[in-house]
Amino acid sequence: MNSKLQNITILGATGSIGTSTLNVLRLHLDKYKIYAVSGKSQITKLFDICKEFNPIFAVVLDITSQEKLQNLITNYNAENNNSNEKITTKILFGNDALCQIAMDKNVDVVMAALVGAAGLQPTLAAAEVGKKILLANKEVLVMAGELFMQTVRKHKAILLPVDSEHNAIFQSLPKGFKCGFDDLENIDNNKIENGIKQILLTASGGPFLHKDIHDLQNVSVEQACNHPNWKMGKKVSIDSATMMNKCLEIIEAFWLFGINDLLKNDDSYEQILAKITNYIKVIIHPQSVVHSGVQYVDGSVIMQLSQPNMQVPISYCLSYPNRFASDIDFLDFFKYNNLQFIQPNTQKFPCIKLAYEALAIRNFAGNILNAANEISINYFINKQIKFTEIYTINSQVLNYYKQNANILNQQFTNNTSDDNLQNLESILNADKWARSKAEEFIQILN
Ligand code: NDP
Ligand code: MG
């Protein structure tokens, strides 16, 4: 193996972010070796990836998928007498195997592109051994922001945000900002004043930006997944349509950029709400050309612009701190003579507010909100609840937690002390509780 090459593991290689990552990597195979990949249901696509890149490992969900992929490879090798073209990839399966390819000592970089809670353990495992982590899987931070960022710090992992808005904010922050090590007030650990006033988080507004509020309850899954600017996986597309995506992204920004350091232990619910609402400003920008940024105290605003294509932020993460080509069209300024910036309508898209509420409730609130959202989305996909009921369920579960936080925290932590509140076990307990609570509320709804 060429020692100059960086070995990369792509968790979720068959997905939308995984595919964009491979598109960029194809241009830079002089710098990267695709060391390990994973997929869940798209076994043929995973086979094609193995055929093209011959990674050392491929991980699937279960033994049936392992056999299926192994058969495809065995047949392919039998038909190919040229030993240079044989696939030598070892097929593993299950959650432990995902953690294994995230932690492997030969791996330099981990692209965390699983979706939802499934990504928590492997991404945390990568942080535990101090990997360079390119984080697309925002739910990891929503579920376990505190634990994950502590782990990043403790093991000196390098964390780079892939999510386009957070990548844009990262690019707009003072040079040298390190996720997990700096906060927005005191960059560089040397407590240098940097003059940041607030971060500006843009949102496309999704496919229903201009839809009448009364028509929202009858929209279909297909309509919800039909995003005007971005081609993404199903879950994030639906999150975009409800604007739950922006809710998750507010929480993601809170942890990535050390905004938690602005809060004091004795801040009240209302004080936290006020601080975070001031610090993270959501702006609807339907064209998705301006991808978030930072407002400074002197009135300067620095934002990042590009085509709405995830290959741009992925390239930035892969080449950081340098830059290399992402193989997308450059921005044609003269095509965009009407860039808009609009105040979000939280009556029509109430999910945005849940972020501020969850952050103000603290403890397991983000985790609980994420779990409720994963359940309500699944019921919506299966046509068992209406689009607008995603918010109803998410807010009911969050409110129930708010009302019963003391007793539930004890339950999640098995009555251990507060110091130990956020560990993997308590996080998984809270996640499980919230999923069953969401199902309970859905039964009542029906
Ligand atoms: P996709 O659904 O397209 O891909 C998810 C990947 O994870 C696929 O490889 C899928 O395998 C695999 N996977 C799904 N469920 C499981 C599971 N339970 N266990 C193991 N593997 C699983 O999602 P996206 O690529 O769109 O999104 C990935 C993450 O990036 C999400 O957190 C999303 O919010 C975030 N993100 C996505 C953006 C985008 O443009 N797509 C933009 C910004 C952030 P398979 O497909 O084989 O079933
Ligand atoms: Mg985003």
Side-chain angles (χ1 to χ4, degrees):
M1 210 170 285
N2 186 334
S3 63
K4 284 188 309 198
L5 294 179
Q6 297 259 300
N7 285 328
I8 185 166
T9 283
I10 307 174
L11 300 169
T14 49
S16 161
I17 293 287
T19 303
S20 296
T21 304
L22 289 171
N23 288 345
V24 176
L25 286 171
R26 248 181 224 107
L27 306 173
H28 302 289
L29 294 174
D30 56 331
K31 299 184 183 68
Y32 278 99
K33 154 83 187 161
I34 291 131
Y35 184 85
V37 292
S38 86
K40 182 186 156 200
S41 55
Q42 302 188 73
I43 300 302
T44 314
K45 190 164 178 183
L46 196 58
F47 165 69
D48 288 338
I49 293 171
C50 292
K51 199 164 67 178
E52 183 177 357
F53 298 105
N54 198 20
I56 308 293
F57 297 108
V59 175
V60 290
L61 206 60
D62 50 30
I63 195 159
T64 315
S65 307
Q66 186 199 32
E67 281 166 8
K68 198 170 159 193
L69 182 56
Q70 190 59 64
N71 283 340
L72 288 171
I73 291 178
T74 307
N75 292 342
Y76 174 84
N77 284 345
E79 286 164 16
N80 258 291
N81 290 326
N82 185 345
S83 65
N84 286 337
E85 285 174 15
K86 285 202 194 299
I87 303 172
T88 54
T89 307
K90 188 162 183 218
I91 319 297
L92 310 171
F93 70 91
N95 196 40
D96 287 350
L98 285 175
C99 294
Q100 184 189 322
I101 60 167
M103 297 176 88
D104 189 305
K105 67 174 181 356
N106 294 315
V107 168
D108 303 290
V109 181
V110 175
M111 166 55 83
L114 296 176
V115 60
L120 177 63
Q121 289 181 61
T123 313
L124 200 55
E128 274 163 9
V129 291
K131 296 292 184 205
K132 183 193 261 195
I133 303 168
L134 318 188
L135 185 68
N137 190 184
K138 62 191 89 180
E139 294 89 348
V140 169
L141 284 171
V142 180
M143 289 181 78
E146 189 171 0
L147 174 68
F148 184 69
M149 296 312 281
Q150 271 170 7
T151 312
V152 163
R153 257 192 303 280
K154 186 168 168 197
H155 300 283
K156 298 196 167 49
I158 297 172
L159 180 60
L160 300 172
V162 171
D163 206 351
S164 58
E165 295 81 357
H166 303 74
N167 189 275
I169 294 162
F170 185 65
Q171 294 197 42
S172 306
L173 284 169
K175 200 167 187 290
F177 179 91
K178 285 207 224 76
C179 294
F181 295 89
D182 297 323
D183 64 61
L184 293 190
E185 295 281 280
N186 305 301
I187 288 182
D188 218 351
N189 295 328
N190 294 324
K191 311 286 172 200
I192 298 168
E193 288 290 331
N194 60 72
I196 289 165
K197 180 171 158 48
Q198 60 188 174
I199 67 167
L200 306 173
L201 189 65
T202 56
S204 68
F208 305 135
L209 177 62
H210 300 297
K211 212 172 186 62
D212 191 282
I213 189 167
H214 305 293
D215 295 335
L216 279 181
Q217 59 171 333
N218 294 322
V219 300
S220 66
V221 175
E222 292 67 32
Q223 285 172 307
C225 287
N226 189 16
H227 196 282
N229 307 337
W230 300 94
K231 287 213 170 353
M232 311 181 283
K234 207 171 194 171
K235 196 240 169 199
V236 61
S237 298
I238 297 174
D239 279 338
S240 239
T242 57
M243 291 207 70
M244 198 53 208
N245 185 45
K246 218 41 56 182
C247 164
L248 302 178
E249 290 186 353
I250 291 169
I251 302 176
E252 183 184 11
F254 177 83
W255 291 113
L256 274 176
F257 304 121
I259 297 171
N260 55 315
D261 287 351
L262 302 181
L263 308 186
K264 298 198 183 80
N265 278 341
D266 56 356
D267 275 347
S268 67
Y269 178 86
E270 286 72 24
Q271 281 171 318
I272 302 179
L273 266 190
K275 278 189 184 176
I276 302 169
T277 316
N278 276 336
Y279 226 86
I280 308 178
K281 189 176 173 61
V282 175
I283 300 169
I284 305 293
H285 167 53
Q287 293 77 22
S288 300
V289 167
V290 177
H291 303 291
S292 301
V294 176
Q295 168 129 259
Y296 289 85
V297 287
D298 60 1
S300 300
V301 172
I302 301 187
M303 300 180 96
Q304 181 256 359
L305 282 73
S306 76
Q307 297 272 7
N309 187 318
M310 288 307 294
Q311 288 182 206
V312 179
I314 290 169
S315 281
Y316 185 71
C317 290
L318 286 169
S319 59
Y320 179 85
N322 305 313
R323 303 226 178 217
F324 59 36
S326 67
D327 198 28
I328 67 136
D329 292 340
F330 292 109
L331 205 56
D332 178 357
F333 281 91
F334 306 118
K335 218 176 95 188
Y336 299 100
N337 55 8
N338 189 19
L339 294 182
Q340 296 167 301
F341 301 95
I342 307 166
Q343 183 96 17
N345 179 345
T346 51
Q347 211 191 339
K348 192 158 139 188
F349 297 107
C351 284
I352 302 174
K353 290 190 295 186
L354 294 176
Y356 301 107
E357 289 174 25
L359 289 170
I361 297 169
R362 299 196 192 210
N363 297 326
F364 295 95
N367 183 14
I368 276 159
L369 184 56
N370 177 68
N373 185 49
E374 289 193 23
I375 294 294
S376 53
I377 285 187
N378 280 342
Y379 275 78
F380 171 64
I381 289 174
N382 293 327
K383 302 191 169 64
Q384 289 166 298
I385 64 170
K386 292 185 171 142
F387 179 75
T388 42
E389 288 171 343
I390 295 175
Y391 167 75
T392 311
I393 296 303
N394 294 358
S395 68
Q396 281 178 343
V397 177
L398 185 64
N399 262 316
Y400 188 95
Y401 172 67
K402 185 183 174 195
Q403 306 302 334
N404 301 282
N406 284 342
I407 193 158
L408 286 169
N409 288 345
Q410 280 179 11
Q411 187 183 314
F412 303 151
T413 56
N414 297 321
N415 293 319
T416 52
S417 76
D418 265 10
D419 295 335
N420 217 9
L421 210 55
Q422 299 277 328
N423 58 31
L424 183 60
E425 192 189 345
S426 61
I427 286 165
L428 295 178
N429 287 342
D431 174 84
K432 195 169 164 202
W433 172 86
R435 283 168 199 269
S436 69
K437 201 76 204 166
E439 302 218 348
E440 227 178 277
F441 279 122
I442 290 171
Q443 299 318 320
I444 298 170
L445 207 68
N446 293 327

